[in-house]
Amino acid sequence: MKTKTHRQKKFNLSPPSMLAVGFLSFIVIGTLLLKLPFANKGNLSWMDALFTATSAVTITGLSVVNLNESFNHFGQFIILLLIQSGGLGFMTFAILAALSLAPKIGLRQQMMAQDSLGQTSLSKVTFVAKGVVIYTLFFELIGVVILSTSFIPIYGFDRGLYYSVFYSISAFNNAGFSLFDNSLINFQSHYLICLTISTLYILGGIGFLVLIDVKQNKRWSKLSPNSKLILSTIAILNLIAFILIWLLESNNPLTLGSMPLGEQAMNAWFQATVPRSSGFNTIDTGAMEHSTALLMMLLMFIGGGSLSTAGGIKVGTFVVLLLCVLSFLRRNEEIRIFNHSISHETTYKALAVSAITGMLVFIGCFIIFLLEPKLDVMDLMFEVVSAACTVGLSRGVTSELHDGSLFILSLLMYTGRLGPLTLAYLIATPKKSRLKHANANIQIG
């Protein structure tokens, strides 16, 4: 009996630990599968396999190899499975597996799901987990149908349908993996393909809680404050980014400058919305002005909605930080949004998420700069932010990096997908103390 109790305690992992182990397991299994002789074409190193598997599971999209040249159809199918697994999330799979074995999940499993899905009500966990799967498959199916009308006439039925399935899954999960060596640049003048893919990754980046809320309530006045905040902020960010990128790149002959007005608008919109976390590009990212690259790094850092396939610190976190600053400047005692107050705990979480992500980016840049002294600093910084925020955009230097740099980027993608708050819980388990201390007068500013 003692031995059994000891074993139970030994494997009694916390929810963040379980999440970390789950994603790591997917990465290890994915790496082994991609290295199988019948998955690749014989020119894949272990680091390439690890980097590709990590990028797929964390739905980042950075790639050090050309998927068509390095993987056969089986290998590409494995990558799709890893993308779908990472998009749905390990904990969602765990919940659905438990539901298939028993009518109700236990309290501990509910607590684990609560941490993973960001739910405050245990009764909603099962509902949200089912919603995640249903919404994912529904939007991916619609994407396949629409994209088929464009890809099949170009490539034939079999190949066109295959491309439609691959890009629909990659887009909705904000993975950004492409079967072409230049992402979607070949389709920069194809309105239906560009708009369909951009719609898919925008929907995937909004967040499943928001999508469920919109379906249930339908009217703006009935939506939750969180849904209103996410929808309005994403719309504003996309509009501002669209205008700025169009203005910054309209005279650049290597990007938008050589296009007709309509194509300029469409491609500016695509590049304005893609930093939510998608990783696709319809123009040469490496040829963009440095000012545009800096703007896109900010957008990548902000990311998309919580409980979505997007990365970054999340839109809600960004808005809470802004409201916190405005409330301090206005000397307001509470932070308010849509006639609701934001708790101090939420503010602390927003500060923690932003600070940890910022530190990860700084440490990643510092190490990569040391390892790659000959490459352009802007290109390397762009790569680090893209990896840490699980976006997948690149200025074309990924294939030039050494194995050490690729390993650092893999770690950044892994920690970025876990979430900085989960990482903080892993590193420092919260400890409560009844001891109260006197206030310290610390000078700020």
Side-chain angles (χ1 to χ4, degrees), residues 3-25:
T3 305
K4 185 177 180 180
T5 304
H6 176 71
R7 288 178 179 176
Q8 286 178 342
K9 290 182 178 179
K10 183 177 180 181
F11 293 99
N12 191 23
L13 296 176
S14 65
S17 301
M18 194 68 175
L19 192 62
V21 171
F23 273 108
L24 185 60
S25 301

Side-chain angles (χ1 to χ4, degrees), residues 71 130 210 299 337 384:
F71 300 100
K130 289 180 179 178
V210 177
L299 295 172
I337 181 73
V384 169

Side-chain angles (χ1 to χ4, degrees), residues 193-215:
I193 291 177
C194 291
L195 293 177
T196 300
I197 289 178
S198 66
T199 302
L200 285 171
Y201 63 65
I202 288 173
L203 287 171
I206 286 175
F208 294 103
L209 288 180
V210 177
L211 294 175
I212 292 172
D213 192 21
V214 170
K215 181 180 180 298

Side-chain angles (χ1 to χ4, degrees), residues 400-434:
E400 300 178 31
L401 300 176
H402 298 97
D403 285 353
S405 301
L406 294 177
F407 182 72
I408 296 299
L409 291 181
S410 297
L411 289 178
L412 289 173
M413 289 188 288
Y414 176 66
T415 53
R417 181 55 182 151
L418 283 179
L421 199 59
T422 302
L423 183 64
Y425 287 146
L426 283 171
I427 296 173
T429 304
K431 295 180 180 180
K432 294 183 178 180
S433 175
R434 296 180 180 179

Side-chain angles (χ1 to χ4, degrees), residues 37-319:
F38 47 85
N40 64 80
K41 298 181 179 179
N43 57 347
L44 191 74
S45 68
W46 278 104
M47 178 52 69
D48 292 343
L50 174 64
F51 189 87
T52 304
T54 304
S55 185
V57 171
T58 59
I59 50 177
T60 301
L62 284 175
S63 182
V64 72
V65 295
N66 184 299
L67 298 190
N68 259 335
E69 294 177 358
S70 299
F71 300 100
N72 53 33
H73 288 305
F74 178 76
Q76 293 170 12
F77 178 71
I78 294 300
I79 292 174
L80 269 189
L81 287 181
L82 294 176
I83 291 171
Q84 193 74 286
S85 302
L88 291 174
F90 171 75
M91 295 310 301
T92 308
F93 274 122
I95 295 167
L96 294 178
L99 285 172
S100 65
L101 296 174
K104 293 183 179 180
I105 56 178
L107 180 61
R108 174 164 177 76
Q109 286 72 27
Q110 288 187 27
M111 292 297 292
M112 291 165 59
Q114 181 182 351
D115 272 33
S116 174
L117 300 177
Q119 283 294 315
T120 56
S121 172
L122 292 177
S123 62
K124 293 182 179 180
V125 170
T126 302
F127 174 76
V128 173
K130 289 180 179 178
V132 168
V133 176
I134 293 172
Y135 276 73
T136 298
L137 297 179
F138 174 74
F139 285 117
E140 287 176 352
L141 179 60
I142 291 178
V144 170
V145 173
I146 298 175
L147 290 174
S148 294
T149 62
S150 296
F151 281 131
I152 289 178
I154 299 174
Y155 297 103
F157 183 81
D158 292 343
R159 195 176 174 192
L161 181 62
Y162 177 70
Y163 281 162
S164 301
V165 172
F166 189 95
Y167 280 98
S168 182
I169 293 175
S170 184
F172 184 77
N173 288 285
N174 276 248
F177 276 98
S178 176
L179 296 175
F180 305 105
D181 57 0
N182 60 356
S183 191
L184 295 174
I185 292 179
N186 292 340
F187 303 98
Q188 60 184 200
S189 60
H190 202 300
Y191 288 80
L192 184 60
I193 291 177
C194 291
L195 293 177
T196 300
I197 289 178
S198 66
T199 302
L200 285 171
Y201 63 65
I202 288 173
L203 287 171
I206 286 175
F208 294 103
L209 288 180
V210 177
L211 294 175
I212 292 172
D213 192 21
V214 170
K215 181 180 180 298
Q216 289 180 330
N217 296 303
K218 295 180 176 63
R219 295 175 59 183
W220 179 264
S221 59
K222 293 184 178 181
L223 296 180
S224 68
N226 177 70
S227 297
K228 292 179 180 179
L229 181 148
I230 299 301
L231 291 173
S232 58
T233 306
I234 287 180
I236 293 170
L237 286 174
N238 287 346
L239 181 60
I240 293 174
F242 164 66
I243 295 172
L244 288 176
I245 290 176
W246 196 353
L247 290 174
L248 292 170
E249 296 296 325
S250 60
N251 293 322
N252 186 347
L254 298 178
T255 54
L256 300 180
S258 59
M259 297 180 183
L261 192 64
E263 289 184 22
Q264 281 190 7
M266 182 184 67
N267 286 277
W269 170 258
F270 194 96
Q271 295 306 137
T273 54
V274 88
R276 286 282 79 76
S277 187
S278 173
F280 291 113
N281 60 285
T282 57
I283 58 178
D284 186 359
T285 311
M288 285 181 173
E289 303 290 348
H290 282 185
S291 55
T292 308
L294 191 61
L295 172 63
M296 294 189 73
M297 280 191 276
L298 173 62
L299 295 172
M300 289 191 289
F301 187 81
I302 295 172
S306 297
L307 191 54
S308 73
T309 55
I313 62 172
K314 303 298 187 292
V315 169
T317 303
F318 173 69
V319 174

